[in-house]
């Protein structure tokens, strides 16, 4: 048994798995470019108050799951690792006065989030999200842009059966009377509520709709639905979001019990699931409108909307769907030589190739030629560059390991020839 382990609920992404994350990050980057979302980076920890206020004090995330950093004795401030991305981005928007920029400010980043939760399949204490935010536009068009962008990500990642569950959770005009109605409804059934739900009824009744407790399913199905109690402005906004999404042919299902766990959401709320996989740990991503958040964090009233897609779950879903795994990049060339000990020449020529833009490997361990070539095949190199006596005349053998052909090439042409052949393979 090794002495040390990665902390519970965290994983090392070894190169094969890391390649899957890199692939997803590249898709996110390309979509961001096409849709016009600029990169942003905020710290992985913030003042705890940013999350307490920004996420909501009576949410699981803050009550139970916040990774609080033990303060040093000379440090008065309380810090926490970020459990989600929006609060930090909005804090940055306020701090840097981004309301003077053209609105909305569209930003995005991929990074790790931390939640001190009970680890299980698909639920980790450190996990990765692609976080996308558009701040400064009240919608409804931007709502549809964002919802479609998230859906597009899954499609391009290779998941073709992802559906959007959509709801409106109202605003400060229509939500309080709705919550009263909801509270009255659940109060009538208080005796049958599980303990956790009884406590939630006091602190955050909306959350009861979020309950995945099977005993709650029937009660939730009969509960008053917020979509039936929206004020006129929220109703018009919701209808317009649906109309825009319809025009984009995004597969949407209205889900009246979808409320999302976070306090700061207003109006549009959505989650992404694969068809037939709508269980507790199966949300692939989610988001919503947060028109009150900028003000909560000290800015002027400013609307905003965003999403966070969980990359770990996408990697799991792709494996489940039998998608081909992303692989670490293969080398174009593997430099081998007849002279087992001649690591100087091998490294020199590999370095020349690398400087010319070729991805090249060389065996630096002094193995025999046969073993070097075995390694070249194991690494799935396209070419073996074989150094022999003719190196004195400035020539090497270039063996195409896939085609099984070989011919001499002057060193001066080597990089060019490999690059040309690689390019024709890519495009051919
Ligand atoms: P949330 O803000 O909780 O809706 O999270 C957004 C997305 O992040 C979820 O839909 C999941 O895909 C992912 N996610 C949230 N919590 C975890 C976790 N503990 N482990 C892995 N993925 C998570």
């Amino acid at each position: 048994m090794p002495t040390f382990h990665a902390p519970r609920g965290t994983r090392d992404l070894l190169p094969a798995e890391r390649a899957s994350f890199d692939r997803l990050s590249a898709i996110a980057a390309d979509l961001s470019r096409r849709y016009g979302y600029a990169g942003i980076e905020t710290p992985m920890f913030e003042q705890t108050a940013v999350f307490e206020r920004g996420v909501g004090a009576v949410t699981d995330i803050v009550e139970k799951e916040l990774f609080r950093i033990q303060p040093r004795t000379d440090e008065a401030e309380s810090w926490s690792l970020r459990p989600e991305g929006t609060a930090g981005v909005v804090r940055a928007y306020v701090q840097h006065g981004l309301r003077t920029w053209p609105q909305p400010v569209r930003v995005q980043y991929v990074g790790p989030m931390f939640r001190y939760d009970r680890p299980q399949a698909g639920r980790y204490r450190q996990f990765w999200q692609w976080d996308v935010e558009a701040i400064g536009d009240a919608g409804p068009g931007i709502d549809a842009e964002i919802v479609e962008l998230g859906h597009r990500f899954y499609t391009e990642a290779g998941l073709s059966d992802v559906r959007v569950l959509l709801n409106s959770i109202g605003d400060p005009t229509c939500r309080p009377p709705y919550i009263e109605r909801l509270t009255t409804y659940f109060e009538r059934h208080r005796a049958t509520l599980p303990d956790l739900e009884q406590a939630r009824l006091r602190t955050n009744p909306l959350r009861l709709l979020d309950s995945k407790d099977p005993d709650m399913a029937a009660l939730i199905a009969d509960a008053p639905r917020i979509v039936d109690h929206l004020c006129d402005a929220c109703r018009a906004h919701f209808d317009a979001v649906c109309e825009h999404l319809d025009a984009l042919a995004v597969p949407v299902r209205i889900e009246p019990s979808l409320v999302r766990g976070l306090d700061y959401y207003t109006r549009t709320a959505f989650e992404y699931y694969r068809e037939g996989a709508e269980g507790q740990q199966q949300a692939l991503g989610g988001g919503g409108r947060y028109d009150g958040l900028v003000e909560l964090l000290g800015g002027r009233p400013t609307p905003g909307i965003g999403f966070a897609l969980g990359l770990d779950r996408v990697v799991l879903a792709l494996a489940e769907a039998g998608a081909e795994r992303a692989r670490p990049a293969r080398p174009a060339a593997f430099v081998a030589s007849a002279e087992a000990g001649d690591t100087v020449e091998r490294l020199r020529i590999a370095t020349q190739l690398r400087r010319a833009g070729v991805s090249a490997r060389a065996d630096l361990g002094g193995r025999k030629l046969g073993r070097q070539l075995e390694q070249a095949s194991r690494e799935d190199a396209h070419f073996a560059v074989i150094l022999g006596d003719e190196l004195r005349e400035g020539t090497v053998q270039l063996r195409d390991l896939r085609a099984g052909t070989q011919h001499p090439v002057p060193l001066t042409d080597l990089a060019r020839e490999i690059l040309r052949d690689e390019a024709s393979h890519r495009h051919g």
Side-chain angles (χ1 to χ4, degrees):
M1 283 285 277
T3 314
F4 297 113
H5 295 265
R8 195 164 118 79
T10 72
R11 291 159 310 145
D12 299 309
L13 302 179
L14 299 182
E17 201 174 1
R18 179 69 227 205
S20 303
F21 278 75
D22 285 345
R23 177 176 163 271
L24 295 181
S25 300
I27 293 170
D30 187 50
L31 286 170
S32 301
R33 177 188 62 78
R34 281 188 267 157
Y35 284 68
Y37 286 74
I40 190 170
E41 201 67 57
T42 62
M44 286 187 212
F45 62 97
E46 297 269 354
Q47 289 170 277
T48 300
V50 169
F51 303 121
E52 281 173 346
R53 271 208 220 175
V55 180
V58 281
T59 54
D60 280 357
I61 290 185
V62 168
E63 265 180 347
K64 296 193 239 151
E65 299 170 11
L66 208 55
F67 252 101
R68 291 167 194 272
I69 298 172
Q70 181 86 38
R72 297 172 60 115
T73 46
D74 56 351
E75 187 88 70
E77 200 64 73
S78 155
W79 311 100
S80 293
L81 298 183
R82 65 182 179 199
E84 56 87 54
T86 308
V89 169
V90 169
R91 192 267 310 137
Y93 177 94
V94 174
Q95 178 180 339
H96 302 288
L98 304 195
R99 68 184 173 76
T100 61
W101 292 14
Q103 303 291 295
V105 172
R106 290 179 165 89
V107 289
Q108 59 82 31
Y109 68 99
V110 169
M113 304 294 158
F114 306 87
R115 294 185 193 175
Y116 192 75
D117 205 349
R118 192 165 50 81
Q120 50 185 276
R123 192 158 81 186
Y124 309 106
R125 288 181 171 174
Q126 177 178 342
F127 57 97
W128 276 261
Q129 286 185 339
W130 180 33
D131 192 77
V132 171
E133 314 288 350
I135 307 176
D137 185 331
I142 191 78
D143 303 44
E145 174 178 298
I146 289 264
V147 170
E148 193 274 340
L149 170 56
H151 186 262
R152 189 78 222 146
F153 173 80
Y154 298 114
T155 307
E156 301 209 353
L159 294 174
S160 54
D161 57 352
V162 173
R163 298 283 169 274
V164 181
L165 270 49
L166 181 72
N167 196 17
S168 171
I169 55 171
D171 69 2
T173 308
C174 52
R175 197 160 44 197
Y178 167 72
I179 289 178
E180 245 172 70
R181 205 178 272 268
L182 192 68
T183 309
T184 311
Y185 169 80
F186 281 117
E187 282 291 356
R188 283 211 309 272
H189 299 91
R190 175 177 274 285
T192 61
L193 295 181
D195 289 351
L196 175 67
E197 310 304 341
Q198 292 203 10
R200 279 181 175 165
L201 186 53
R202 275 191 304 278
T203 53
N204 192 349
L206 215 49
R207 295 284 317 282
L208 269 71
L209 297 177
D210 220 8
S211 171
K212 298 288 193 280
D213 191 320
D215 292 345
M216 292 288 292
L219 263 188
I220 292 171
D222 283 343
R225 300 155 19 126
I226 190 156
V227 279
D228 300 329
H229 299 280
L230 295 175
C231 58
D232 289 348
C234 286
R235 180 81 245 168
H237 184 272
F238 189 50
D239 290 345
V241 172
C242 293
E243 185 192 344
H244 282 80
L245 283 171
D246 230 29
L248 304 178
V250 179
V252 171
R253 196 180 84 213
I254 309 295
E255 179 52 66
S257 69
L258 177 80
V259 290
R260 308 268 306 147
L262 312 184
D263 267 0
Y264 55 64
Y265 284 105
T266 48
R267 295 190 170 172
T268 309
F270 55 97
E271 280 185 334
Y272 300 96
Y273 288 89
R274 292 183 71 200
E275 217 159 337
E278 295 182 11
Q280 192 159 19
Q281 250 54 254
Q282 291 178 310
L284 293 175
R289 178 161 280 291
Y290 45 82
D291 292 349
L293 183 59
V294 176
E295 202 179 355
L296 257 180
L297 292 180
R300 300 190 187 178
T302 309
I305 182 164
F307 65 61
L309 310 188
L311 300 190
D312 307 71
R313 291 195 191 162
V314 176
V315 171
L316 287 172
L318 283 169
E320 251 172 54
E324 199 185 322
R325 286 185 74 132
R327 302 171 47 137
R330 312 161 164 180
F334 193 101
V335 184
S337 58
E339 187 65 56
D342 192 5
T343 55
V344 172
E345 280 305 303
R346 292 205 286 278
L347 183 58
R348 187 174 71 81
I349 287 168
T351 305
Q352 251 174 33
L353 288 173
R354 290 164 176 166
R355 286 177 185 167
V358 176
S359 77
R361 313 275 185 277
D363 182 303
L364 304 178
R367 280 181 281 199
K368 294 209 173 79
L369 178 60
R371 300 290 300 281
Q372 295 176 47
L373 292 174
E374 277 170 25
Q375 185 62 26
S377 302
R378 250 198 309 277
E379 295 199 19
D380 204 16
H382 187 171
F383 293 102
V385 174
I386 303 171
L387 318 182
D389 291 342
E390 57 202 353
L391 185 60
R392 265 179 255 132
E393 287 93 56
T395 302
V396 297
Q397 290 293 322
L398 185 63
R399 183 183 295 181
D400 186 326
L401 293 169
R402 296 176 199 169
T405 54
Q406 179 172 324
H407 64 281
V409 176
L411 263 181
T412 44
D413 293 344
L414 184 63
R416 205 170 329 128
E417 182 157 340
I418 293 173
L419 286 171
R420 195 178 50 224
D421 216 90
E422 280 276 292
S424 76
H425 263 75
R426 258 199 306 280
H427 302 301

